[in-house]
Amino acid sequence: MSAVLVVNSGSSSIKYQVIHAESGERLADGLVERIGESSQGRIEHRAEKRVERELAIPDHTVGFAEMVAAFAEAGAPIESLDISAVGHRVVHGGSEFIAPTLIDDRVAERILALAELAPLHNPGHHAAIVAARATFPELPHIAVFDTAFHQSMPESAYTYAIAPEVAAKHGVRRYGFHGISHAVVSRRAAEHLGKPVESLKQIVLHLGNGASMCAIDGGESVDTSMGLTPLEGLVMGTRSGDIDPGVIFHLLRRGETVDSIDTLLNKRSGFLGFTGSNDFRDVREAAARGDHDAKLAIDVYVHRARHYLGAYLAVLRGADTIVFTAGLGENAPDLRARVCAGFEWCGIHIDPELNEAPDRGARVISTADSTVTVLVVPTDEETEIARQTIATV
Ligand code: ADP
């Protein structure tokens, strides 16, 4: 038996899972949080036994040491799990990382250099990679990039209409994100239908706190709604999504600063901006009570998603499947129904009973005579990282 340690790290946290390579079974998982912060750090480890502790965690190296200690304390030391590789989730791989990559010193440095494009994510990934390589020097470490899946986009889809020399100088182009999720969800949708992924045109809606859509032709991303950063596209929990860039100049001229606008659009917009909560359940409840802004938030959300659905039907010249995933995509049938309503003219027919059914696994929610098959498929980014890690090793 062999297993993969999957690491999803931020600047102040390490989320991890140990996943059995063949069966995909989860052998343990946990979270180290508040790394380097003035308040006490915390580790929570879940295996057969649960371990929880608060203690000072000054950096990622101590974080990994505590993780190893937690495995032992829970009765299954990490050495006993026969881990054969470590898979690191990395948000931004720029244009140079188009596939999962074995990490050496140079690759680690490049991931840090890409912090220019992902200042909130890549420095934390880099710190965790350095610490993990020191903790497990005998294991291969693989970086699995959120952007890599979208490197198949044609130039027409990833290019912004600005002077090419300016774009090249600053790395300005559309990269797209959530690629690990779009990849696993589109493959599982094909598996569920018993068809090769290569034969399908698919539109995936990853609707979580962050949200993006992807047009997938034969298993390859040909367009996606996020761009240079994860700000472009759909309305999200705290992000505005698409906005006229002129809004930014307007706000600057009216006395806002670069940082205040960055915070506004990334952290104080979307559902949170409209209602004070980034959680769709709260927004829905407020809308049901008659709150105007909450109703408007959902209307804008649905309008934007439908805008992209129409766009991707055009990009793909029709679709075989529409696939909903992530927090809202998997759990909000009302939203799914509204996004798909009125598309009957192009063969999209939701079955209200299937859509409302409280099932959890991959399932079809369209009628038997719907030309386009609509599915709900739970996302599973960790298992996909483990799969790509094994494939690379
Ligand atoms: P992240 O992008 O952080 O991984 P998730 O994919 O877990 O987020 O999605 C989280 C969001 O999903 C929540 O903020 C909430 O808006 C929505 N959500 C979760 N459960 C439900 C539910 N039962 N009904 C409606 N919305 C839900």
Side-chain angles (χ1 to χ4, degrees), residues 234-391:
L234 301 175
V235 176
M236 310 183 209
T238 67
R239 292 175 223 154
S240 63
D242 289 340
I243 202 161
D244 176 357
V247 169
I248 296 168
F249 310 131
H250 178 70
L251 294 176
L252 278 171
R253 292 193 185 105
R254 293 182 67 93
E256 296 286 342
T257 64
V258 169
D259 285 342
S260 73
I261 298 170
D262 191 335
T263 304
L264 174 75
L265 297 182
N266 275 302
K267 300 197 175 140
R268 287 181 30 224
S269 294
F271 283 143
L272 181 80
F274 277 111
T275 67
S277 169
N278 66 327
D279 194 308
F280 178 67
R281 287 162 288 198
D282 300 334
V283 183
R284 181 163 55 190
E285 216 180 283
R289 284 197 311 268
D291 183 288
H292 172 268
D293 291 340
K295 279 202 259 185
L296 180 59
I298 299 173
D299 289 348
V300 176
Y301 189 99
V302 168
H303 177 84
R304 186 82 51 81
R306 291 169 55 76
H307 172 105
Y308 275 98
L309 185 55
Y312 290 171
L313 285 166
V315 166
L316 291 168
R317 295 165 167 79
D320 300 300
T321 75
I322 293 172
V323 192
F324 286 90
T325 194
L328 286 83
E330 291 168 36
N331 299 301
D334 46 342
L335 210 62
R336 295 195 296 257
R338 282 191 64 186
V339 169
C340 293
F343 277 105
E344 291 80 9
W345 60 277
C346 51
I348 301 171
H349 298 268
I350 296 276
D351 181 321
E353 224 167 276
L354 294 178
N355 184 35
E356 295 284 342
D359 302 357
R360 306 240 37 105
R363 58 203 186 268
V364 171
I365 58 163
S366 49
T367 60
D369 60 358
S370 184
T371 325
V372 181
T373 307
V374 185
L375 301 100
V376 178
V377 176
T379 190
D380 189 351
E381 290 163 295
E382 285 74 19
T383 310
E384 177 64 11
I385 293 169
R387 194 190 69 81
Q388 293 194 21
T389 299
I390 293 286

